[in-house]
Amino acid sequence: MTSTKTALKVTTPSDREIEVTRQFNAPRRLVFDAHTKPELVRRWLLGPDGWTMPVCEIDLKIGGKFRYVWRNSEGFEMGMGGTFREITAPERIVHNEKFDEDWTNGETKVTTTFVEASGKTTMKLVIEYASAASRDGALKSNMTEGMSAGYDRLDTLLAP
Amino acid sequence: MPDRLDATFAALADPTRRAILARLALGEISVMELAEPFAMSQPAISKHLKVLERAGLVSRGRDAQRRPVRVEAKPLEEANEWIERYRETLERNFQRLDALLVELQATEKKSAKKTPPKKSKGRQP
């Protein structure tokens, strides 16, 4: 399992978006399950070490809601919830999400796609913030709270 | 530091300013030379430069006449460090997911082996 094969790629296709790509060495049916079944999601969607996910509820249907709460070793809690807009199992999910402490100033739209080729799955996440200012707000808060999405090296931003 | 990062990211959230920085990465030049390849007036370029200057991303030379513009590496490095930390957080999630997927596939294989090749009669209770 070389790191280049599964390498995480993070780019900024526009000033409102963050795009994350990652390959997994498993069929997409399983990768999809790992993103949509609460007993699986709570085992990996944890952020930095020391965080757990005491609440993980997912009602996987169009218009259905999900709710996540994370807790760190000091008892600090952070919650997030959203609504499913589109579901095409096991290839595509579109949902809206919002953190309880709304640092992004509005809902974020997330489109997740899973593409399978020879038993491996490439996942692409497009996170679209309400505005460029919202994305910057998310960046700033992420810095102090230590969760959520990553961001690309500025090389990408600086590419003409 | 977060305020400075705000200023850095805000300054970078504009294609013209990113193009200016990309040009300056090649070496310092005057505002006039800088404005040339852009379909923009010198005052418009100067406005963008002010934003970049406030964010500490560029500085102006002392040469009173030319006042060449140059890129400042430090804020970019700080923003880069931040980005790397969060990339690492994201990657940690995905590595946990890798491990989970290995486990799920192993479980599937095991239960496939347990299933008899053809449907046999159920065991006695």
Side-chain angles (χ1 to χ4, degrees):
Chain A
M1 211 185 294
T2 61
S3 61
T4 44
K5 269 193 177 162
T6 57
L8 170 63
K9 217 176 100 191
V10 191
T11 56
T12 51
S14 77
D15 61 1
R16 287 175 50 189
E17 292 169 296
I18 297 176
E19 190 180 298
V20 177
T21 313
R22 174 70 150 72
Q23 197 182 75
F24 297 96
N25 198 5
R28 72 174 172 186
R29 171 176 54 81
L30 291 179
V31 183
F32 185 88
D33 281 355
H35 277 82
T36 51
K37 292 188 172 168
E39 69 274 21
L40 300 179
V41 171
R42 71 190 333 158
R43 289 185 51 192
W44 66 271
L45 191 62
L46 300 171
D49 288 341
W51 288 78
T52 58
M53 206 174 175
V55 177
C56 180
E57 295 158 359
I58 299 172
D59 182 15
L60 190 66
K61 62 176 188 223
I62 293 168
K65 310 238 180 246
F66 67 92
R67 169 106 190 120
Y68 300 154
V69 177
W70 293 275
R71 185 184 292 148
N72 74 2
S73 48
E74 278 132 49
F76 180 82
E77 283 196 353
M78 217 172 64
M80 183 182 99
T83 310
F84 293 105
R85 297 292 171 210
E86 274 178 54
I87 301 163
T88 314
E91 50 183 83
R92 183 179 151 93
I93 303 168
V94 181
H95 73 262
N96 291 70
E97 66 180 37
K98 201 164 137 182
F99 279 89
D100 295 355
E101 306 234 358
D102 182 21
W103 59 56
T104 55
N105 239 318
E107 282 205 329
T108 301
K109 182 181 158 198
V110 182
T111 304
T112 313
T113 49
F114 305 97
V115 175
E116 185 180 320
S118 20
K120 291 178 201 289
T121 303
T122 303
M123 184 194 72
K124 191 171 86 176
L125 261 173
V126 178
I127 308 157
E128 190 186 316
Y129 293 93
S131 66
S134 298
R135 190 189 71 178
D136 292 344
L139 293 174
K140 183 191 164 198
S141 303
N142 283 347
M143 175 154 164
T144 48
E145 307 296 348
M147 289 289 286
S148 197
Y151 203 70
D152 196 13
R153 297 186 67 87
L154 287 175
D155 309 2
T156 318
L157 276 176
L158 292 175
Chain B
M1 175 79 83
D3 288 347
R4 172 140 168 198
L5 263 185
D6 277 357
T8 304
F9 281 117
L12 288 170
D14 178 275
T16 305
R17 291 197 287 271
R18 293 198 294 271
I20 289 174
L21 285 176
R23 171 60 191 87
L24 291 175
L26 305 174
E28 58 172 57
I29 50 170
S30 70
V31 178
M32 227 206 310
E33 292 167 306
L34 188 58
E36 247 168 51
F38 294 96
M40 236 181 239
S41 67
Q42 218 174 293
I45 290 288
S46 290
K47 226 182 233 175
H48 282 302
L49 279 178
K50 278 214 179 90
V51 178
L52 290 169
E53 214 175 335
R54 264 199 303 266
L57 286 163
V58 303
S59 65
R60 307 288 300 274
R62 278 172 207 276
D63 178 348
Q65 281 238 302
R66 221 172 132 251
R67 301 214 59 208
V69 189
R70 70 172 77 97
V71 71
E72 289 293 329
K74 195 141 190 289
L76 283 176
E77 277 165 16
E78 285 167 4
N80 243 337
E81 257 169 49
W82 178 90
I83 284 163
E84 269 313 295
R85 264 210 307 285
Y86 287 91
R87 239 179 86 90
E88 278 162 24
T89 301
L90 206 58
E91 182 55 22
R92 210 166 311 168
N93 272 351
F94 291 145
Q95 279 169 4
R96 273 190 291 257
L97 179 50
D98 284 334
L100 176 62
L101 290 167
V102 167
E103 190 189 309
L104 291 176
Q105 288 179 94
T107 312
E108 273 193 345
K109 241 186 221 163
K110 233 195 226 163
S111 61
K113 258 189 206 156
K114 267 188 200 158
T115 314
K118 54 180 180 181
K119 208 150 192 203
S120 59
K121 278 177 200 162
R123 251 181 269 160
Q124 294 293 333

